[in-house]
Structures are given as structure tokens and as C-alpha cells.
Amino acid sequence: MTLDEHAARSRLRDVAPGFKLLYALPPIAMALWANSVPFSLLVFGLMGASIVLKGGVRPADYLRWLLLPAGFLVIGTAAVAVDMSAHPETFVVSAPLGGANIGVTATGVAMAAHLCFRALASVSCLYFVAFTTPVADLGRSMAAVGVPALFIEMTLLVYRFVFLLFGTASEIATAQRSRLGYAGTAASFRSLASLASNLFVFSARRSEELYVAMECRGYDGAIRVLAPSSGARQPSLAGIALVEAALLCVAIAAHSGRFF
Amino acid sequence: MTNLKFRFIAVPLMAAFMLLFGSGDAFAMHIMEGFLPPSWSLFWTAVSLPFFVLGFRSMRKIVADNPRMKLLLAMAGAFAFVLSSLKIPSVTGSCSHPTGVGLGAIMFGPSVMSVLGAIVLLFQALLLAHGGLTTLGANLFSMGIAGPFVSYGIYKLADGMKAPRSMAVFLGAALGDLVTYVVTSLQLAAAFPSATGGFAAALFKFLGIFAVTQVPLAVSEGILTVMVWNAIRSYAGETMFGGATLSGEVK
């Protein structure tokens, strides 16, 4: 299931997007600034609980998505932790490699550990937005904070076209695979090139057709859509403010005291 | 029960192996959410912003001159997104994802790519969990600004020096890819200087790690871009590029 399918099915879908952004975005900044493992864990737990308990996402699905950025996380934090030097005594653990020594220093490990948890906390906040808010709603909330109309329209058009092109691309790929189009490297290159070029020509022609169709219906340069009115109960602003304030207090304590 | 136990052990192990030794999913070049310290996030956002604003102005002008370009540009953005989710066979035998940086820059020009790049990166963060919101500025700089500008510059330069067109396209796409990878390594090294050797050692480290996937990818993407370019040109003719047919038309 794709992320926006989760967003469309979410139990928090009808909550106005502004509330959700207000809930999930400030903790990213706090986690980055506080740079403390316990605070990161707190944010990670809070967002995870919100996604699973409030949003109604199955824990297995959430965990599967959490594994996705793990590739970068593993490689990135390992690169931060591991160092090279001519002097083996600077390392906690080291191994000689050629003329130099490869190993980990205490500061490197500490930095990597902080980094790992900070990144996980921020990812969980990003996931809260991604798991509960469909892109169309995000577009509307972008308008509320004064993002130019052309940019929002572009974003929504790209969003629509992505799925159109995905559908076409996967049909072409299936047809190619059923004719052994991806057997061997040379064939793969050939098939992929014809897929990409056909997709491009298709998308150019399709955009032309769409323009003509819209022109016929009185298109004058702006796409106006009605915002759906939902009767869902909205959360209280005070409640969210309270959560954020509490988080901020913990973040300040963690940042200044470093006692966590 | 044993099955469950097996899954508990095997799945993380397999995942770890795939991540470390497998294809090394080439989305790896997107700096993940929360990876950069706040000061560097702000810095790269500030660096990217002027390019984005200029790109947006030029896009607004293009759209005002010819409203149908709006849909073509949006299609181009979607095309770049879909292209980046395809897997290309890498010359070393593993698979990677193309970036589409070179193709987009050569076809649409680098300034528009900075806006389309921002939209594509936003969707990659929200729909695919690649990249992130706080690292959007840094990723935009490497993939939406540095890569396309270098691609376009090299392509124009090689074309001006009367190199064969396919050579120019190959060099533009491959070097644009390499620049993306070097800039990302620079960004990571600047944010996380090595404890023993400082910035230079950290840069060496990050370049070395990502070279495993990125250097073969640059070659593959160069080859693929030439093939796609030739196919599109033979189908649509020279006029397709630069929107000459569309923007030149009288409405």
C-alpha cells in the first residue's frame, strides 16, 4: 500500500490539515535542536502512537515503512562513526588497514548515536504528516500560508500526473517483461530506454489533449476546486498548543541540562 | 512458532544484508529527514532559495506567455518522478534508480528544473519517504540546482565544441549525476567533519562510500539518457526540445 493510500484511509483524514501540521512539524525542529537521545525517543514514541492509535495504521505497516530510510541511516551513521587515522591510540576500537588505522572514536560514536535517534524522531514526525494528510489537503493548507497559487497548482497537477504516468509505465513494463524484455543487461537498457521515451512522448501528447479539453470547458489559467466540507470533530487548538508547550519544556531541559 | 521465530531473525538480517551489500538503493543519495543539524538545514535552504525564486519567475513567465506550457511542465515534473522510481541495470550488475537530472535539464533548461525538482523532492519525501522536509533545501541544491546546471552547462559546452550530439548528452547526464553525488558528499562532510581528520577526511569517507553505487549509476544513466534522447528525437523531431513547437505557436 502506498503512503497516500494510507493517508486517504486514515481516521485523521478529515481533521483540518493545519492542525496536523501544527502537531507534527514543531517537534522536528525541537528534536533537531535538542539533539538528545531521550527527547528523540519521546518524540518517536509520541508520533508512533499517534499514527497507530489515532490514525488507525496497522503497526506492521508502520514498521515496514520505518525500515525504508534505514538504508541511508545505516550507511550514513556508520560513515559518521568510523574514522581513519595514522595513530591507533585515538580510537576505542581499531584495525590496521594498509598504512593507516580504521576505527571508531568515542566522539564519533556519540555523534552517530545522537544522529541516529534524531533522524528517527524526525522521520516519525514526517510520517505522521504523510500517513494522515492527503496531498490535495496539503495543497490547500499551503495556500493558507501564502505559497504562490502557481506553485500549488503545479504541485497538484504533478501529483495527478504522477499516477497517470505510473499506470502507463507499469503497463508498458508488464508488456515488456512478458516478452523477456529484461532478460540480460543489453535488453534491459533497450527496454528501459524505449519505456522512458514512449512515456515521455505519451505524457507530452497527453498534456496537449488535457489542455484542449480544459480549454473547451473555459480554462482561463486557474483551476478552481471546491474544498470538501467535513463535519468531523476538529481537535482543540489549546490541546495541541499544550502538547507542543510540554514538548518544548522537555526539549529545553534536555538541551540545556544535558542531564538526560 | 518456529516460523515466527525464523521471521524475527531472518527478516532483519536479510534487510541488513540487502542494505549493506545489495543494490544499495540509490535513493540513498537523498539526505534523509532529520539527518542534518538545524544550522546546516537552514544554510542549504537559504542557498537554494534564490535559485528557486529565479526558477519560479522564469516558470511564471513561460506560463504567462503560453498557458498550455503549464500542463507540459507539470507532465515533465511527473515524468521526472516516475523516471526516478524505475530501476536501471547498473554496469556492475546491481540495480539503481536514475535521477533524471540530466534529461530534464537538457530538455527543459536548468532554471525550471529547480522548481520542478522542489516539487518532485517534496513528493518523494511525502509519498516514498525518500529525503525529508528539513533536508529539502540541501537535497534541492544537490539534485535540483547543482546537477541540472552542470548537466546543462556541459551539454551546451560540448555541443558548442562541435562534439557529436550523443556525446554531449552522455557527458551532460553522467557528469550531472556525478556532481549531484559530490555535492551531497560535501554537504554531509561539512555537517559531520571527521573527529580525527576534519572536513577533508570526512569528504573522502563519504565520497568513498557513495562511489560504490553512484559512479556506475552515472555511467548507466548517461547511456540511458542518450538512448532516450535519440528515441524521442527520432519520434518527435528536433523541435520538441525547448518547447519550440508549443511556445512558438500563435494562440
Side-chain angles (χ1 to χ4, degrees):
Chain A
M1 206 151 59
T2 58
L3 261 181
D4 69 321
E5 219 173 314
H6 280 296
R9 289 176 182 206
S10 169
R11 271 192 245 140
L12 293 173
R13 192 201 152 145
D14 289 332
V15 174
F19 288 114
K20 289 182 277 197
L21 294 180
L22 212 60
Y23 178 65
L25 294 189
I28 298 185
M30 290 183 217
L32 286 187
W33 176 73
N35 196 14
S36 105
V37 174
F39 182 74
S40 297
L41 281 176
L42 175 69
V43 170
F44 183 71
L46 184 69
M47 290 299 154
S50 310
I51 291 168
V52 171
L53 300 178
K54 285 295 212 178
V57 176
R58 278 171 39 223
D61 285 338
Y62 178 55
L63 286 180
R64 193 161 338 121
W65 276 98
L66 269 182
L67 268 181
L68 252 183
F72 186 89
L73 193 64
V74 169
I75 295 172
T77 47
V80 169
V82 175
D83 259 318
M84 256 173 117
S85 169
H87 313 287
E89 60 275 7
T90 50
F91 295 121
V92 180
V93 183
S94 69
L97 183 91
N101 288 278
I102 244 181
V104 292
T105 57
T107 48
V109 170
M111 198 152 90
H114 277 103
L115 181 61
C116 179
F117 284 100
R118 207 173 68 196
L120 272 178
S122 323
V123 164
S124 69
C125 297
L126 175 68
Y127 275 3
F128 180 80
V129 177
F131 268 106
T132 60
T133 317
V135 168
D137 293 2
L138 273 183
R140 272 201 299 283
S141 61
M142 280 201 273
V145 294
V147 177
L150 177 62
F151 184 76
I152 296 168
E153 209 180 321
M154 250 338 179
T155 310
L156 294 180
L157 280 174
V158 171
Y159 179 67
R160 169 71 192 101
F161 292 160
V162 158
F163 291 96
L164 187 75
L165 294 191
F166 254 132
T168 313
S170 66
E171 277 166 24
I172 296 176
T174 306
Q176 288 176 327
R177 261 200 304 279
S178 67
R179 292 164 180 76
L180 297 180
Y182 291 93
T185 307
S188 302
F189 266 104
R190 220 171 21 247
S191 298
L192 206 59
S194 71
L195 195 166
S197 50
N198 276 308
L199 195 66
F200 179 78
V201 172
F202 168 87
S203 57
R205 206 172 49 210
R206 192 63 203 260
S207 79
E208 180 67 21
E209 286 166 7
L210 260 172
Y211 180 75
V212 172
M214 282 159 68
E215 186 96 299
C216 293
R217 289 161 181 78
Y219 176 64
D220 62 350
I223 302 169
R224 297 178 196 84
V225 287
L226 292 172
S229 59
S230 79
R233 210 169 70 87
Q234 299 297 329
S236 77
L237 201 57
I240 292 176
L242 208 65
V243 172
E244 299 301 332
L247 275 178
L248 189 63
C249 290
V250 180
I252 289 171
H255 180 80
S256 58
R258 291 256 175 239
F259 50 80
F260 290 113
Chain B
M1 186 61 205
T2 48
N3 188 22
L4 194 68
K5 229 185 213 163
F6 170 74
R7 277 170 60 184
F8 263 124
I9 299 165
V11 170
L13 263 184
M14 263 156 49
F17 268 91
M18 270 165 60
L19 294 171
L20 291 176
F21 306 108
S23 62
D25 209 338
F27 280 123
M29 284 322 283
H30 292 60
I31 299 177
M32 78 183 284
E33 176 69 74
F35 206 78
L36 289 181
S39 49
W40 283 109
S41 301
L42 290 175
F43 174 76
W44 289 114
T45 308
V47 170
S48 300
L49 203 61
F51 290 94
F52 178 82
V53 170
L54 285 181
F56 189 69
R57 282 217 187 123
S58 102
M59 180 183 266
R60 180 171 273 165
K61 199 176 161 300
I62 291 171
V63 170
D65 286 350
N66 185 349
R68 70 182 61 192
M69 284 302 283
K70 188 188 278 180
L71 294 170
L72 188 63
L73 286 174
M75 269 300 179
F79 180 70
F81 183 90
V82 173
L83 197 68
S84 72
S85 69
L86 297 173
K87 274 194 153 96
I88 59 174
S90 178
V91 279
T92 51
S94 64
C95 273
S96 306
H97 299 272
T99 59
V101 161
L103 193 64
I106 292 167
M107 283 199 294
F108 298 102
S111 60
V112 170
M113 278 307 283
S114 63
V115 182
L116 291 181
I119 295 175
V120 169
L121 285 169
L122 187 68
F123 282 147
Q124 280 171 337
L126 287 175
L127 303 178
L128 302 173
H130 299 298
L133 300 177
T134 56
T135 52
L136 195 66
N139 285 329
L140 181 61
F141 186 74
S142 66
M143 275 167 235
I145 295 167
F149 270 97
V150 168
S151 274
Y152 190 73
I154 301 241
Y155 166 70
K156 282 284 167 199
L157 191 74
D159 204 36
M161 283 160 60
K162 301 273 180 281
R165 186 61 67 87
S166 55
M167 184 67 154
V169 173
F170 175 80
L171 285 178
L175 292 178
D177 241 28
L178 279 181
V179 164
T180 299
Y181 136 75
V182 171
V183 170
T184 307
S185 302
L186 265 171
Q187 289 170 335
L188 287 172
F192 303 104
S194 153
T196 52
F199 172 75
L203 180 63
F204 179 72
K205 212 162 60 177
F206 283 111
L207 281 174
I209 288 166
F210 290 123
V212 179
T213 53
Q214 294 303 309
V215 173
L217 173 68
V219 177
S220 316
E221 178 151 6
I223 296 170
L224 185 73
T225 307
V226 172
M227 291 170 89
V228 172
W229 167 270
N230 285 339
I232 293 175
R233 208 167 50 142
S234 66
Y235 181 91
E238 196 76 42
T239 48
M240 189 93 192
F241 303 105
T245 23
L246 296 171
S247 56
E249 220 167 323
V250 179
K251 202 191 148 200

